[in-house]
Amino acid sequence: GLDSDESYEGASEASFKDAGVYDDAQRSNGSTSPENGIRKRRTTLPAPMFSRNNFSVWGILKKCIGLELSKITMPIVFNEPLSFLQRITEYMEHTYLINKACSLSDSIERMQAVAAFAVSAVASQWDRTGKPFNPLLGETYELTREDQGYRLISEQVSHHPPVSAFHAESLVGDFVFHGSIYPKLKFWGKSVEAEPKGTITLELLKHGEVYTWTNPFCCVHNVILGKLWIEQYGTVEILNHSTGDKCVLNFKPCGMFGKELHRVEGYIQDKSKKKLCVIYGKWTECMWSMDPQTYESNKKAEKKADSKKQKSPKLPDSQQKRGVDGDDADNMPEVLETVAVIPGSTLLWRISSRPQHSAKMYNFTNFAMSLNELEPGMQATLAPTDCRLRPDIRAMENGDMDQASREKERLEEKQRSARKDRSKVEEEWSTRWFQSGTNPYTSSQDWLYTGGYFDRKYSDLPDIY
Ligand SMILES: *[C@@H]1O[C@H](CO)[C@@H](O)[C@H](O)[C@H]1NC(C)=O
Ligand SMILES: *[C@@H]1O[C@H](CO)[C@@H](O)[C@H](O)[C@H]1NC(C)=O
Ligand SMILES: *[C@@H]1O[C@H](CO)[C@@H](O)[C@H](O)[C@H]1NC(C)=O
């Protein structure tokens, strides 16, 4: 298959040498000792990533246009050493925004903090073109962050179609945050689009408030040639179920000239559709809020100025049209300006910068760097199904691509043969920590946590590795 060794022959160890971070990586790896009682998590991976330069994805994909991506096997070199369960845990990177929402007494300010959280939750996608590993059926991931005051458990509850369920809860009982994600990936010739099916629910317990939303679409451009880049687009509606008030966020597609690249604009409205506040910014940078009147009049003034400038030189033809046809790459428009802040706006959220060695490490954020760390003493308490114990991801993280590829193939084969065995005796798969049910707020199909994971009684767990 395409996962076999020859598919990454040539990506030699040379790529390790030019990765200047290697030494740093080794040095800071021993820094897990507690300091002031707070555990330090690792801030780097054990090894830098392999160069992908020598792989032609085109050769693999040109036969597969229109297929669902789960049916296409890609060489492991296009992965990043995280399971999709760990990738969705990255929603939690800015949990301080939920904590902030909990602490606010003004309901509009609470909605603003929740909206900022919803945007921040997808900000880690920026420049992350590596594909996370598909979780195996029954795979789990747990994360406890005392410093941010929450713990999370997730489980792969279905394989066909793939469904990942997660449940996070505040350690002091302020909130629960849960959802089930059905990523639908589609290959469109030059790009791969991920449709984020599934509902996300945030309950602020102290305020008796429930918010639900669905993530925007995510698209990876130029999977075949040209520079890879990520676009997120679509409307995200955050609904306050207690009142019917909502926040509508429009993740803008980048458009012909790239003017709208990464832009998010929206507003909070009440039941009678009265706009209470405007929210604007970029999901890659920051989000601001301000009152609708000032925002609109500012926009009008801007438009006027724009139309005066219209006789400015035209762009060359090649830049005018982001063609749908042809083999040309769809280049990411060059964006120089950042978010223009309108005086009187309030900052809701600003992205933290990524570590310097991020570019050599799959463009991970600091938070992502820590997710697959096997902290001292952890192995004794982890469920045997936890992603951190997955040998293929571990091998890839350590830079051993041959081993990673062999292990990935072995695990997938093991999963296939277990499925065959079950079907022989007509046994149904049973999930362990989540149950299929109806989301009480949206009435949509969902997977709900049944509790008990942190009692750590791991009886009846499947042997998936
Ligand atoms: C890619 O291939 C070229 C030529 O075949 C070779 O010189 C180069 O070292 C390879 N790069 C990597 C990162 O393996
Ligand atoms: C959300 O619902 C709560 C509970 O009814 C209400 O007090 C609050 O005003 C609403 N807030 C927003 C921003 O919609
Ligand atoms: C990391 O980001 C850079 C652009 O900043 C991009 O060229 C590169 O392809 C990205 N790498 C990965 C693994 O996504």
Side-chain angles (χ1 to χ4, degrees), residues 336-403:
L336 301 170
E337 77 182 308
T338 69
V339 176
V341 182
I342 302 166
S345 305
T346 308
L347 181 69
L348 298 180
W349 163 77
R350 192 188 290 286
I351 199 166
S352 352
S353 56
R354 292 181 180 176
Q356 221 202 329
H357 52 276
S358 173
K360 303 265 173 164
M361 294 187 172
Y362 314 91
N363 292 335
F364 279 6
T365 61
N366 264 323
F367 187 74
M369 298 275 184
S370 72
L371 288 173
N372 200 44
E373 181 181 13
L374 204 49
E375 295 163 29
M378 198 180 226
Q379 197 153 1
T381 57
L382 278 184
T385 46
D386 195 276
C387 310
R388 293 178 187 84
L389 305 173
R390 247 186 99 151
D392 50 354
I393 298 180
R394 183 64 57 200
M396 184 179 185
E397 163 180 305
N398 288 330
D400 188 343
M401 299 300 273
D402 290 299
Q403 174 80 357

Side-chain angles (χ1 to χ4, degrees), residues 107-108 110-111 209 211 240 242-243 245 268:
S107 71
I108 305 299
R110 278 203 297 281
M111 180 68 108
E209 268 175 359
Y211 301 85
N240 177 345
S242 319
T243 54
D245 297 352
I268 297 175

